[in-house]
Amino acid sequence: MSEILSSQVRAICREYADDRTRMMDIVRAVQAALGYVPSEALDLIAEAVGSHRVEVESVVSFYAFFSKTPKGKVIVRLCDDIVDEMAGSAAVAEVFKAGLGIDFGQTTPDGAISLEWTPCIGMCDQAPAAMVNEVIVTSLSTDSARAIVEGLKTHGDPKRLIRRLGDGNNAHPLIHAAVVNHLRQPGAVIFAGEQPGEALRKALSMSPVEVIREVKASRLRGRGGAGFPTGMKWAFTRDAEGEDKIIICNADEGEPGTFKDRVILTERANLLFEGMAIGGYAIGAAEGLVYLRGEYAYLKPYLEHVLAQRRASGLLGKDICGQGFDFDIRIQMGAGAYICGEETALISSCEGLRGDPKNRPPFPAQKGYLGRPTSVNNVETLCCVARVLQHGAGWFAQFGSKGSAGTKLLSVSGDCASPGVYEFPFGVTLREVLRAVGAEDAAAVQVGGPSGQLVPPARFDEIICYDHLATGGAVVVFGPQRDLLHVVAKYLEFFVEESCGFCTPCRVGNVLLKNQHEKFVAGRADLEDLAQIKEIAQTVKATSRCGLGQTSPNPVLSLLRDFPQLYEANIKPAEAGLRPSFDIKGALKTASDIIGRESRIY
Amino acid sequence: MPKKIAIIIDDNVVEARPGQTILQAAEQAGVYIPRLCWMKPLEPFGGCRLCTVKVNGRYQTACTQPAADGQIIENETEEIRAFRRSLLDMLFVEGNHYCMFCEKSGDCELQAQAYRLGIDAPKLPYLFPDRQVDASHPDIMVDHNRCILCARCVRASQDLDGKNVFQFVGRGAHKRVAVNAEANLGETNASVRDGAISMCPVGALIKKGTGYHTPIGQRSYDHTPIGADIEKKAEG
Ligand SMILES: Cc1cc2nc3c(=O)[nH]c(=O)nc-3n(C[C@H](O)[C@H](O)[C@H](O)COP(=O)(O)O)c2cc1C
Ligand code: SF4
């Protein structure tokens, strides 16, 4: 590596104070500057931050957006989600391949352009979609894909690929994106009008303990998936030992089919930051982090701008609202890893480590980010908090059902007339949702993403809430023409790709589940395979270390429970003492080739 | 005076000290909970999941879960044993384990756990991965075919040897142990005397020149199953 490059790497490290906990930022910057993280850079970074080369390599090799080998100046990442596939991503992929003359996973010989698949980028409502570096291109067709290829070949500038700007803040010069909000049904809580500062001032006029009491009284539960009562989480964090508490907003939104936080970040950033400041005040934190998924990097300049505006109007920074409360927020970028949405993995990533989840106990509220008491809250949860303070707990709790107060944002996509974001009160039936989105002929609905459940029509009258159809926001509709075995195969593949690999059942079990499932897809399974897929699914669910593995068998368990006929129809009885999954001809092929004839028996 | 903690493991009342994990408390009382990645004096890792028990109806790893008064714990139930057999099967099919000619045979903890749970051969389909062997170091051989990613070497090298020779790279099924060098172990400051080398439970880190020295019949698990020493304490 030349002197110039090494001084570049050293300068990047210095920019982050040679701080090893800022490893994500350092590696991101090196990747952006050099197009990859060369071997020499691993040594240089390790030396600068006082770590070891292999520790740096460990981080670099974990995240999909980091690479140890050279990539193109422009990387086209086509979303390989099932919804994109249903919207025609295969044809788009062919255009990219033919136009660029390379396959997925390759780089053009001139080093200009790389082509890759990537899991759900949060654009299912405008699929097929892709990232071109940090630029998002949506609603792709073979024609628009051809235009993109042409553009990249002539000017090579991803920004110039944006033709028509999206609605609302998507057209803001700092976002400047073709993304469309598709905010189909704004509700009373999240998408009501904004009055920056109102909720925060109310909170600051109360004591932190009173704020927590108000949040508890609202019966608000976490919107990120686990549904833990937010007031209780804050009370634990506040009461934990340690002065340097911190609040982290989980904006990783990685569950395939979820995109509601994207719309909040675009249209209600003030509400979110207001909720974070209230949370900081309540738990006694002076610092907040927003962990923003790498796919949403296009929103970062705008979010920084909103933060700056809030600082300028005394709603962030020193002596907020003149009440002596100091609190500031930094945005931490992710780099392509679904597991980093899991709160302890997210904390690892913020600490500059691999996105491995941590052992519990201790819980984040006791010892989280750098050992400090930490509250991790979802984007939507924090917006709810701001509304609770603005209008009162009673006002908030009037919406929703008994165990599930308030409204829920649903990101609806797939086979429906109007995909997009809908704000419904909890307690709405799935059937009502389907009517609103124009999907009354649905044959199955995935509620809660791949880690949720596949719901058959017989259960469409169940309600969306924490105790029945729970969801972090994803609702994917499958029409009668869809092959559900294929849908499940895609989901299992997703978990194989996204497992962190820390624990045995998730690392190995998910590969086995996927292989086992493929036997049914291929019609080569027997009764023993049915028993085996159940056994693997149960082991992975029961013994996995974190929520990823504990929910990754759900697609299989869902089929077994609600669509058993799909597996059963693909079972072949064993013939002549051979299991149908055993390909005897294939096994004998090498020997047959050597002796130059086929087996007389098989 | 610290409060006494009593936990119930499969109908046996076991006393625990505050700060002890379920695994430690059980071990002290002569109750063996199978484990692979856990090893004294390393920090608990919680990766192999073999020590999964059911605590008040919830699955937890005994190596990370603190003992708490009144816990009702299931260890040797058929449900838990089935999970453990599945997990061991997964570790076998994930790698390439040729027990019959492995230097570690008879002293291998993976093999010993399998025998303890009555596994003769895995039921799950083999994955036959393509893995590397690194014989670059004069005294140590690394055979990734037999690695179970238990992180004992990673933790020992960092916390006991103070060297950080080993660390994981890649994620999911691509996760593997890497060394602190561009290419191989020979370029690192690893020594055959490192705790990291002797703590490998399987045949992934082998001291060169020591293979097959112990005659069959005198190896660790030739006569008694793994865990027997702990269980013997209870009888004695
Ligand atoms: C694999 C996995 C991925 C997750 N991804 C997200 C995510 O993208 N956003 C989120 O808010 N929570 C996610 N969660 C849930 C978080 O662990 C955590 O419960 C949540 O952020 C807490 O915030 P809440 O209480 O406001 O919901 C995920 C959990 C798992 C197991
Ligand atoms: S369950 Fe999966 S993602 Fe979670 S720790 Fe285990 S391997 Fe990692």
Side-chain angles (χ1 to χ4, degrees):
Chain A
M1 188 161 58
S2 75
E3 268 311 302
I4 305 171
L5 288 190
S6 50
S7 65
Q8 227 175 335
V9 172
R10 283 201 198 92
I12 288 170
C13 294
R14 226 169 10 245
E15 196 182 319
Y16 295 100
D18 293 334
D19 180 355
R20 72 157 76 172
T21 72
R22 300 297 296 276
M23 190 68 83
M24 287 296 284
D25 302 285
I26 293 172
V27 174
R28 245 190 107 82
V30 171
Q31 174 83 39
L34 308 180
Y36 73 122
V37 188
S39 177
E40 296 90 326
L42 299 176
D43 289 315
L44 287 166
I45 297 171
E47 192 186 281
V49 306
S51 182
H52 299 264
R53 172 199 164 89
V54 74
E55 305 285 339
V56 181
E57 186 182 356
S58 177
V59 174
V60 173
S61 62
F62 189 89
Y63 297 92
F65 292 175
F66 298 155
S67 168
K68 280 177 10 190
T69 49
K71 289 275 173 79
K73 281 206 169 48
V74 173
I75 303 179
V76 179
R77 292 191 171 93
L78 183 58
C79 182
D80 83 340
D81 195 73
I82 181 73
V83 175
D84 294 68
E85 189 185 300
M86 286 162 23
S89 62
V92 172
E94 286 309 315
V95 171
F96 279 128
K97 272 162 63 175
L100 297 172
I102 51 172
D103 207 339
F104 281 79
Q106 295 180 339
T107 301
T108 51
D110 59 357
I113 304 167
S114 296
L115 189 55
E116 294 179 1
W117 288 109
T118 195
C120 182
I121 61 172
M123 301 287 158
C124 285
D125 54 331
Q126 39 215 300
M131 300 170 65
V132 184
N133 289 352
E134 292 180 356
V135 169
I136 309 287
V137 287
T138 65
S139 302
L140 295 172
S141 62
T142 46
D143 284 345
S144 61
R146 232 169 259 125
I148 288 170
V149 170
E150 275 321 300
L152 290 178
K153 279 183 172 170
T154 44
H155 54 70
D157 179 6
K159 288 213 172 63
R160 285 174 59 187
L161 299 173
I162 299 167
R163 304 234 168 264
R164 201 177 313 122
L165 291 177
D167 56 340
N169 284 332
N170 290 300
H172 190 286
L174 288 172
I175 296 184
H176 192 78
V179 178
V180 181
N181 287 326
H182 288 140
L183 179 51
R184 310 272 183 188
Q185 183 175 304
V189 178
I190 304 294
F191 287 110
E194 266 189 318
Q195 291 85 31
E198 194 181 314
L200 183 55
R201 271 185 211 102
K202 278 206 182 145
L204 295 181
S205 73
M206 302 156 73
S207 76
V209 173
E210 281 169 344
V211 172
I212 292 179
R213 203 176 299 141
E214 192 71 11
V215 175
K216 278 186 180 169
S218 75
R219 291 187 282 116
L220 170 63
R221 292 168 67 175
R223 303 306 199 223
F228 195 82
T230 306
M232 214 196 284
K233 186 185 284 186
W234 285 3
F236 287 150
T237 317
R238 177 166 187 83
D239 294 342
E241 251 173 75
E243 292 306 307
D244 46 358
K245 294 168 172 127
I246 182 164
I247 183 163
I248 304 184
C249 168
N250 188 341
D252 196 51
E253 190 156 68
E255 187 77 35
T258 316
F259 47 84
K260 47 106 186 166
D261 289 344
R262 177 196 90 210
V263 182
I264 295 182
L265 292 163
T266 309
E267 299 300 334
R268 287 293 178 275
N270 258 300
L271 193 67
L272 165 65
F273 295 143
E274 186 117 352
M276 279 187 82
I278 294 168
Y281 177 68
I283 65 170
E287 199 184 340
L289 285 178
V290 175
Y291 189 87
L292 186 64
R293 71 182 307 210
E295 290 81 349
Y296 292 171
Y298 76 100
L299 292 170
K300 187 168 183 257
Y302 171 73
L303 294 173
E304 298 281 13
H305 161 74
V306 176
L307 288 174
Q309 271 184 334
R310 290 183 72 84
R311 281 184 204 108
S313 20
L315 298 174
L316 198 66
K318 289 259 175 269
D319 191 24
I320 292 174
C321 301
Q323 300 288 310
F325 170 52
D326 299 342
F327 181 79
D328 214 330
I329 295 172
R330 171 166 75 79
I331 298 174
Q332 174 66 61
M333 292 307 302
Y338 164 67
I339 185 57
C340 288
E342 195 284 332
E343 59 181 1
T344 60
L346 179 147
I347 289 170
S348 296
S349 187
C350 290
E351 292 171 334
L353 303 169
R354 298 162 61 78
D356 286 338
K358 294 175 192 285
N359 285 323
R360 274 157 291 210
F363 291 90
Q366 307 162 279
K367 273 191 167 59
Y369 175 70
L370 302 176
R372 300 156 55 179
T374 305
S375 175
V376 180
N377 301 95
N378 171 257
V379 171
E380 185 183 348
T381 311
L382 290 164
C383 290
C384 289
V385 163
R387 295 299 192 203
V388 167
L389 268 293
Q390 193 179 357
H391 301 299
W395 173 84
F396 181 83
Q398 71 176 316
F399 304 104
S401 66
K402 207 152 164 274
S404 312
T407 61
K408 183 76 195 85
L409 295 187
L410 300 180
S411 334
V412 188
S413 65
D415 294 317
C416 59
S418 312
V421 173
Y422 294 75
E423 183 172 351
F424 277 106
F426 272 116
V428 65
T429 66
L430 182 54
R431 195 178 301 283
E432 287 169 85
V433 174
L434 293 175
R435 198 173 304 135
V437 306
E440 279 145 310
D441 65 339
V445 183
Q446 186 74 27
V447 179
S451 66
Q453 46 179 323
L454 194 54
V455 182
R459 292 178 51 204
F460 283 177
D461 288 315
E462 291 186 18
I463 59 172
I464 306 271
C465 68
Y466 290 100
D467 307 310
H468 292 274
L469 299 177
T471 173
V475 175
V476 181
V477 184
F478 297 105
Q481 75 275 32
R482 304 298 173 189
D483 174 1
L484 296 180
L485 280 181
H486 175 67
V487 171
V488 167
K490 290 284 286 187
Y491 287 163
L492 296 177
E493 221 168 273
F494 170 76
F495 287 122
V496 167
E497 287 304 314
E498 297 301 323
S499 161
C500 84
F502 195 105
C503 72
T504 311
C506 175
R507 183 184 68 242
V508 191
N510 279 317
V511 176
L512 296 170
L513 271 183
K514 175 179 145 282
N515 292 350
Q516 200 67 9
H517 179 81
E518 273 164 10
K519 290 187 195 169
F520 290 92
V521 174
R524 288 189 287 106
D526 60 18
L527 273 175
E528 214 171 303
D529 289 311
L530 192 64
Q532 200 157 71
I533 200 168
K534 272 186 208 168
E535 190 187 315
I536 302 169
Q538 280 156 358
T539 304
V540 175
K541 193 172 183 64
T543 65
S544 281
R545 182 165 171 265
C546 86
L548 192 151
Q550 288 158 9
T551 57
S552 62
N554 282 354
V556 167
L557 294 169
S558 229
L559 276 191
L560 287 167
R561 172 179 145 172
D562 283 312
F563 301 87
Q565 70 282 5
L566 293 182
Y567 273 146
E568 281 155 15
N570 283 287
I571 290 177
K572 243 168 90 174
E575 268 172 49
L578 283 182
R579 297 187 67 177
S581 59
F582 181 57
D583 174 12
I584 182 74
K585 282 218 161 67
L588 291 172
K589 187 172 180 308
T590 324
S592 305
D593 287 351
I594 292 169
I595 57 172
R597 64 168 172 80
E598 293 213 347
S599 158
R600 297 222 171 94
I601 308 167
Y602 296 105
Chain B
M1 207 182 115
K3 202 175 144 279
K4 276 221 179 107
I5 296 173
I7 60 178
I8 299 173
I9 307 180
D10 295 335
D11 301 331
N12 301 313
V13 179
V14 165
E15 263 188 32
R17 285 196 311 271
Q20 270 186 327
T21 60
I22 291 173
L23 187 142
Q24 288 168 323
E27 178 154 332
Q28 203 172 39
V31 175
Y32 182 72
I33 300 178
R35 78 292 297 265
L36 275 170
C37 66
W38 191 83
M39 187 183 207
K40 243 184 292 193
L42 303 174
E43 285 290 312
F45 183 66
C48 75
R49 313 309 284 174
L50 203 61
C51 71
T52 298
V53 289
K54 212 170 182 175
V55 185
N56 298 337
R58 292 188 55 177
Y59 304 106
Q60 308 275 13
T61 39
C63 72
T64 57
Q65 193 63 26
D69 200 41
Q71 280 168 336
I72 299 179
I73 296 159
E74 295 172 29
N75 176 35
E76 288 290 345
T77 61
E78 195 32 56
E79 182 199 29
I80 296 292
R81 289 166 62 89
F83 287 147
R84 289 181 183 151
R85 278 194 292 266
S86 261
L87 292 169
L88 288 169
D89 262 17
M90 288 179 191
L91 289 172
F92 275 108
V93 304
E94 180 194 29
N96 300 304
H97 295 272
Y98 305 107
C99 297
M100 57 297 263
F101 51 82
C102 175
E103 300 92 313
K104 200 71 178 235
S105 234
D107 292 313
C108 170
E109 294 180 38
L110 175 67
Q111 184 190 47
Q113 293 292 0
Y115 282 142
R116 187 184 158 100
L117 279 157
I119 298 174
D120 299 323
K123 278 195 304 180
L124 297 170
Y126 285 99
L127 294 171
F128 298 121
D130 214 349
R131 293 204 188 162
Q132 304 296 311
V133 175
D134 172 2
S136 59
H137 193 282
D139 308 318
I140 307 161
M141 186 184 76
V142 190
D143 186 347
H144 291 282
N145 288 292
R146 308 162 181 169
C147 177
I148 58 169
L149 304 170
C150 67
R152 281 196 198 172
C153 61
V154 174
R155 286 173 286 161
S157 185
Q158 183 175 315
D159 301 337
L160 303 183
D161 307 331
K163 287 187 175 178
N164 296 64
V165 169
F166 302 103
Q167 185 50 277
F168 291 117
V169 296
R171 76 174 184 214
H174 306 291
K175 184 175 173 173
R176 64 180 176 84
V177 170
V179 298
N180 189 35
E182 165 113 38
N184 53 43
L185 192 68
E187 298 170 12
T188 70
N189 59 347
S191 149
V192 73
R193 286 176 301 279
D194 288 348
I197 311 305
S198 53
M199 286 186 160
C200 178
V202 292
L205 291 174
I206 290 280
K207 295 178 186 173
K208 287 185 178 174
T210 66
Y212 315 111
H213 273 200
T214 317
I216 295 178
Q218 293 171 27
R219 301 171 307 177
S220 308
Y221 309 116
D222 280 341
H223 300 290
T224 47
I226 190 167
D229 49 334
I230 288 165
E231 288 165 326
K232 209 157 124 202
K233 264 200 312 211
E235 293 157 19

